[in-house]
């Protein structure tokens, strides 16, 4: 009793029934084969799949002599076809038998880590390469391809991941961008040119394409925070710490504005940053209609997305002021025998056609022919920007890491009697001007910013010169029925100067710094932000020297809490304030008009580019 599993034109493969003594696989002859009907040969992997499996030619056809030999030859052909079928069922890669038999001297296996979007095409090239007779150093060369995010490989090669941590070091590496190599202080010695290219574009839903700015400069301006008008667009990035597209986006922004503008840009896009390029399309799908989402993505990602989701297609805007491209450099990490052979295969015509078919341009910038027939993409090569030097790439990556750390701020506002004085040229008092600027500055902070608010004068809370008005916590967190952001905005709108209050500056600053040090959050930038219009005039408080000495005594370089002082009006004692700030590595700014305060917020944020050494 046998159950048929599969068959060919020559033989059928059946499984013998249990307990019959024929439990193995049985090959039985079928009607005569046409000449040359089968030319398949099994692979070593397929043979391994059959190892230990009994293959029996049906006893009814055991013959001798020439006829038996003919049957045996046909049986071997049938085994080959069966091996092919089983290998297919088991998901085993199949290669020519001639390549296997040529590997009697051993095999050299190269591990290739490839950017995920290019990995399928590189894997297809590797299949063909492995099926041919490639030898180096007396051994056959085989390549295994795995999709690997470039950030992980970069961390491994830079020593951030210890060698014994169980992370595999590749022999060959194809990151999405050569920018990763510029982040390494000691990049691999052998770095070839690009295998493919994909320029960075601004992708928008096709219905919104007509109104999208046509240059990066205009696009960044339309997405800029701090404007009194609403933002025209919401720029979405892939995480620069994980993707080449994200790093390239930062470099484009970095080259167009100064430190303060770049700091504001980084802080504003932090909330609309996706883990990867695919995640950008996901964020756009969930976004509200306004402001319109604009994705900074590689051209190939638009091609891939529109192929899979034509009903939600995007249009690629090619900035006229130039762009950067992902360039997929072939990199030999460990120069083992056969690496150059595989590079040659990846630069051959067949590989190039595979990359074009996957939506990539070739190394010269030539686009797939399909682009000319695809709405929303252009086959013409885009304008290019100069490649950034390694020092700029490293600095920009470090700046992003600093700027996107969470912020934890204690805002300390002076409500002494002098804050009731009018601001020349306006209808605002000093306190109203500071409150108004603070409300606008609050709009620049994301919901995960932790913020608390104190006010100070003299004897606001018994003998204490300060009083907490809003407890520390995330702006998006709730305090009763409202968010902390709403509570702070409401508090700022209702602040009133204490008519007979003096300025208890020293003991308030010392108490604020001690509170922030006591509740320090190492994963955040911890700051005391002081607004005042004058100088300390509390005779019952500590002296300036005692205050400075106490601030220095509690200072820890590994747990920095900086004081940032914004002095407003003509009565500010800058020298006094600078001594307080210097004791914590902080800074002092002076403002004469309300609009100066908002500018100072941007400059204070930009200090994070060099903190804590500046």
């Amino acid at each position: 009793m046998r159950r048929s599993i599969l068959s060919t034109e020559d033989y059928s493969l059946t499984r013998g029934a249990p307990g019959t003594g024929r439990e193995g696989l049985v090959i039985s002859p079928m009607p005569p084969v046409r000449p040359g009907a089968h030319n398949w040969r099994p692979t070593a992997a397929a043979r391994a799949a059959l190892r230990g499996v009994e293959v029996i030619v049906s006893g009814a056809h055991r013959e001798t002599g020439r006829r038996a030999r003919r049957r045996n030859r046909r049986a071997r052909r049938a085994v080959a076809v069966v091996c092919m079928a089983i290998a297919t069922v088991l998901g085993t890669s199949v290669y020519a038998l001639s390549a296997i038999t040529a590997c009697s001297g051993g095999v050299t296996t190269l591990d290739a880590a490839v950017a995920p979007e290019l990995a399928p095409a590189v894997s297809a090239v590797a299949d063909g390469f492995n099926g041919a007779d490639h030898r180096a150093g007396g051994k056959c060369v085989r390549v295994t391809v795995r999709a690997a995010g470039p950030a992980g490989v970069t961390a491994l090669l830079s020593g951030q991941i210890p060698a014994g941590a169980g992370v595999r070091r590749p022999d060959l590496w194809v990151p999405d961008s050569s920018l990763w190599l510029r982040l390494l202080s000691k990049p691999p010695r052998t770095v070839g040119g690009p295998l493919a290219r994909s320029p960075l574009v601004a992708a928008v839903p096709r219905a919104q394409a007509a109104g999208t700015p046509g240059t990066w400069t205009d696009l960044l301006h339309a997405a800029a925070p701090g404007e009194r008008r609403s933002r025209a667009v919401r720029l979405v990035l892939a995480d620069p710490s994980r993707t080449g597209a994200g790093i390239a986006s930062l470099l484009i922004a970095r080259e167009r504005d100064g430190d303060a503008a770049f700091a504001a840009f980084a802080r504003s896009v932090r909330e609309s940053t996706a883990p990867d390029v695919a995640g950008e399309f996901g964020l756009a799908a969930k976004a509200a209609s306004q402001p319109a989402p604009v994705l900074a993505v590689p051209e190939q990602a638009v091609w891939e997305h529109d192929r899979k989701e034509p009903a939600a297609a995007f249009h690629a805007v090619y900035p006229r002021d130039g762009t950067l491209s992902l360039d997929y450099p072939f990199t030999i990490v460990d120069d083992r025998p056969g690496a150059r052979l595989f590079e040659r295969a990846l630069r051959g015509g067949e590989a190039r056609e595979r990359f074009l078919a996957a939506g990539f341009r070739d190394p010269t910038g030539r686009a797939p022919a399909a682009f000319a027939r695809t709405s929303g993409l252009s086959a013409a090569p885009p304008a290019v920007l100069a490649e950034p030097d390694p020092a700029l790439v490293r600095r920009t990556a470090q700046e992003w890491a600093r700027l996107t750390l969470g912020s934890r701020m204690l805002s300390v506002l002076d409500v002494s009697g002098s804050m009731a004085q009018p601001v020349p040229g306006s209808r605002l008092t000093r306190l109203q001007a500071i409150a108004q600027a603070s409300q606008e500055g609050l709009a620049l902070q994301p919901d995960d910013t932790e913020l608390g608010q104190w006010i100070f004068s003299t004897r606001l809370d018994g003998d204490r010169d300060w009083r907490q008005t809003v407890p520390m916590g995330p702006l998006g967190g709730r305090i009763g029925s409202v968010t902390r952001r709403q509570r702070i905005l409401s508090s700022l709108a209702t602040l009133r100067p204490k008519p007979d209050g003096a300025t208890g500056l020293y003991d308030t600053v010392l108490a604020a710094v001690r509170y922030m040090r006591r509740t320090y959050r190492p994963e955040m930038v911890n700051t005391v932000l002081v607004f005042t219009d004058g100088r300390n005039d509390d005779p019952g408080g500590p002296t300036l020297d005692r205050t400075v000495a106490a601030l220095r005594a509690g200072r820890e370089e590994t747990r920095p809490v900086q004081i940032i002082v914004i002095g407003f009006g003509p009565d500010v004692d800058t020298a006094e304030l600078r001594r307080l700030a210097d004791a914590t590595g902080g800074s002092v700014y002076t403002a004469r008009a309300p609009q100066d305060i908002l500018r100072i917020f941007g400059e204070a944020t930009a200090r994070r580019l060099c903190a804590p050494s500046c």
Side-chain angles (χ1 to χ4, degrees), residues 105-106 135-140:
R135 301 178 67 87
K139 295 182 179 181
C140 282

Side-chain angles (χ1 to χ4, degrees), residues 355-421:
F355 298 156
L356 288 168
F360 296 92
R361 293 175 182 258
D362 73 11
T364 69
R366 178 171 66 96
F371 278 20
R373 306 186 298 271
T374 304
S375 177
L377 293 171
S378 173
V384 298
L385 295 172
E387 290 295 325
D389 64 72
L392 178 62
V393 176
R394 287 194 289 270
R395 190 173 85 236
T396 302
Q398 291 164 359
E399 290 172 350
W400 169 259
R402 291 183 185 128
L403 289 167
T404 54
L405 282 174
S407 291
R408 185 169 181 269
M409 291 185 288
L410 179 58
S411 178
V412 181
L413 293 97
D414 186 350
V415 292
S416 60
S418 59
M419 293 293 281
Q421 293 186 26

